């Protein structure tokens, strides 16, 4: 295939943040990922999930290639070289002496030619399996063989060689200096070094300076270069002509690759820290037609990021959604991991649609057309609506856009009204969701929703029977009867029927 983009699609820089980001805490994840690559402006790439199975699999293949150290190192080195070029070009804008500006452009071109050539060589000899990187490697070799690149590379090397051959003598007298042609004079450096060698101390600090690291040029240095250019005008004239012809020398497709490939590298670098903690990641099986889903040992990536510094353990959870099942109804005690479980489901689907490894040991996922979330919010005084009315308005807006392929993540809605009204509204909303054949997760305190019909699945967050105040944060597939938590508390205080009877018999 002809190479255009390693992301396989055009993504504008003004791509809006998806509605689900704050509720799923994906904004925290993307911010953490993009921070280390802020100059690449990666956020828009994370705001545009794919819907096409083939393109998602192409991205998965690219990410797999980048998990090979040799390929990742080569591309990371290339990225660093492109960053160096960007610094050189930015530096030029701050310089006032023309020869100095021209010199940094030449240095940028030489770095660019080296970077492109080395990357092409490494990718051609590495075990690249993805269509994306194979196509880019082919593009690189075609580019290297074009007259445009050959002329750029040859001219830059020729001018650099000519400039390196220049020799001149600098005579300093009090407050003046003379620049003249080099006439085979003996350099003073070896003689001075020999005189002072006897004063050398092994442990004395070094005052040597790498002159190439100094970016500035003062007016005296600029005048010296000007006089040297008068003595040897040919190389400097060639340099001036070269700069005039190659002010914009970076190929736009290569520039685009340099930015887009960081999308993969930044994410893989981000999840590497969690892999070191033995948290699992996998490339999910994906489908746009098969609604059967399986997840093993999944977890909330945003929570793992928040807990990383404390090295706190992360609880892994499973779920299955087998047709005709549509909605996972999650119930259980407060602070039991229900919302975290719901976020996990949303994150898994979103990251899968980006073509990236997902936080789970194994996953088979349906790719939705949209992911809509509804989490509890504080009342907004600007809309003059009560909390219940605001929730109903928000749900109506979501349901208007919901299709049979939409993933819904609903968390603790209708809390602001009575149990009777919340039950009535929830059943009505559930009926509409099921009619529209949408799928997803609903965290609720209303157990009845999990027993409506074969389209709903009961998931329950467990409690520790020995200590109900402790939460194992496990969410399992089992019937919700509303008594699990109450039974655990009763058992703790020895108030179950069996425990009371036992005490009575002893008395």
């Amino acid at each position: 295939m002809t190479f255009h983009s390693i992301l396989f699609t055009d993504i504008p820089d003004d791509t809006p943040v998806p509605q689900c980001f704050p509720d799923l805490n994906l904004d925290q994840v993307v911010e953490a990922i993009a921070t280390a690559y802020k100059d690449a402006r990666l956020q828009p790439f994370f705001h545009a999930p794919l819907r096409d199975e083939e393109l998602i699999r192409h991205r998965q293949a690219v990410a797999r290639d980048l998990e090979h150290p040799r390929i990742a190192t080569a591309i990371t080195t290339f990225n660093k070289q492109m960053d160096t070029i960007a610094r050189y070009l930015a530096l030029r804008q701050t310089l006032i002496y023309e020869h100095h500006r021209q010199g940094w452009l030449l240095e940028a071109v030489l770095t660019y030619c080296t970077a492109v050539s080395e990357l092409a060589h490494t990718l051609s000899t590495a075990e690249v399996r993805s269509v994306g990187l194979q196509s880019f490697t082919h593009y690189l070799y075609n580019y290297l063989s074009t007259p445009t690149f050959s002329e750029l590379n040859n001219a830059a090397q020729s001018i650099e060689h000519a400039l390196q051959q220049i020799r001149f003598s600098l005579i300093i007298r009090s407050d003046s200096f003379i620049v003249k042609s080099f006439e085979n004079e003996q350099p003073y450096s070896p003689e001075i070094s020999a005189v002072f060698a006897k004063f050398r101390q092994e442990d004395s600090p070094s005052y040597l300076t790498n002159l190439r690291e100094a970016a500035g040029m003062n007016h005296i240095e600029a005048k010296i270069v000007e006089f040297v250019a008068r003595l040897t005008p040919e190389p400097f004239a060639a340099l001036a002509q070269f700069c005039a012809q190659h002010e914009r020398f970076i190929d736009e497709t290569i520039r685009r690759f340099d930015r887009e490939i960081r999308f993969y590298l930044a994410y893989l670098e981000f999840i590497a820290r969690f892999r070191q903690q033995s948290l699992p990641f996998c490339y999910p099986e994906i489908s746009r037609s098969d609604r059967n889903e399986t997840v093993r040992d999944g977890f909330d990536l945003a929570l793992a990021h928040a807990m990383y510094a404390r090295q706190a353990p992360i609880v892994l959870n499973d779920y299955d959604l087998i047709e005709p099942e549509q909605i996972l109804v999650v119930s259980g005690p407060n602070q039991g991991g229900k919302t975290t479980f719901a976020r996990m489901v949303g994150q898994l689907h979103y990251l899968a649609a980006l073509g990236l490894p997902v936080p789970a040991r194994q996953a088979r996922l349906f790719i939705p057309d949209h992911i809509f979330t509804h989490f509890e919010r504080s009342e907004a005084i600007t809309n003059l609506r009560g909390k219940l009315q605001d929730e109903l308005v928000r749900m109506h807006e979501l349901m208007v856009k919901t299709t049979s392929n939409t993933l819904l993540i609903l968390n603790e809605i209708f809390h602001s009204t009575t149990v009777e009204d919340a039950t009535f509204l929830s059943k009505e909303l559930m009926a509409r969701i099921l009619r529209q054949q949408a799928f997803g997760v609903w965290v609720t305190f209303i157990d009845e929703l999990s027993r409506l019909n074969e389209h709903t699945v009961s998931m329950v967050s467990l409690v520790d029977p020995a200590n109900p105040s402790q939460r194992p944060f496990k969410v399992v597939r089992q019937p919700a009867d509303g008594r699990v938590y109450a039974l655990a508390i009763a058992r703790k205080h020895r108030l179950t029927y069996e425990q009371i009877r036992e005490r009575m018999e002893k008395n």
Side-chain angles (χ1 to χ4, degrees), residues 352-371:
L354 289 176
L356 298 171
V358 301
R361 193 173 309 281
Q362 177 189 352
R364 183 174 73 241
L365 299 168
F366 178 79
I367 301 300
D369 56 4
H370 295 95
I371 300 176

Side-chain angles (χ1 to χ4, degrees), residues 17 169 181 240 267 279 281 295 305 357 362 369 371 375 401 413 416 427 441 489:
V17 178
S169 295
S181 300
Y267 183 80
L279 289 174
F281 287 82
V295 169
H305 171 62
Q362 177 189 352
D369 56 4
I371 300 176
F375 282 49
K401 296 179 284 187
I413 59 177
S416 59
K427 287 183 177 180
V441 183
I489 294 177

Side-chain angles (χ1 to χ4, degrees), residues 60 281-286 292-298 319 348 352 358-366:
Q60 289 180 341
F281 287 82
C282 71
Y283 292 89
E285 298 177 38
I286 53 104
N292 295 312
E293 295 197 340
T294 298
V295 169
R296 295 292 176 265
D297 291 340
Y319 79 84
L348 288 170
V358 301
R361 193 173 309 281
Q362 177 189 352
R364 183 174 73 241
L365 299 168
F366 178 79

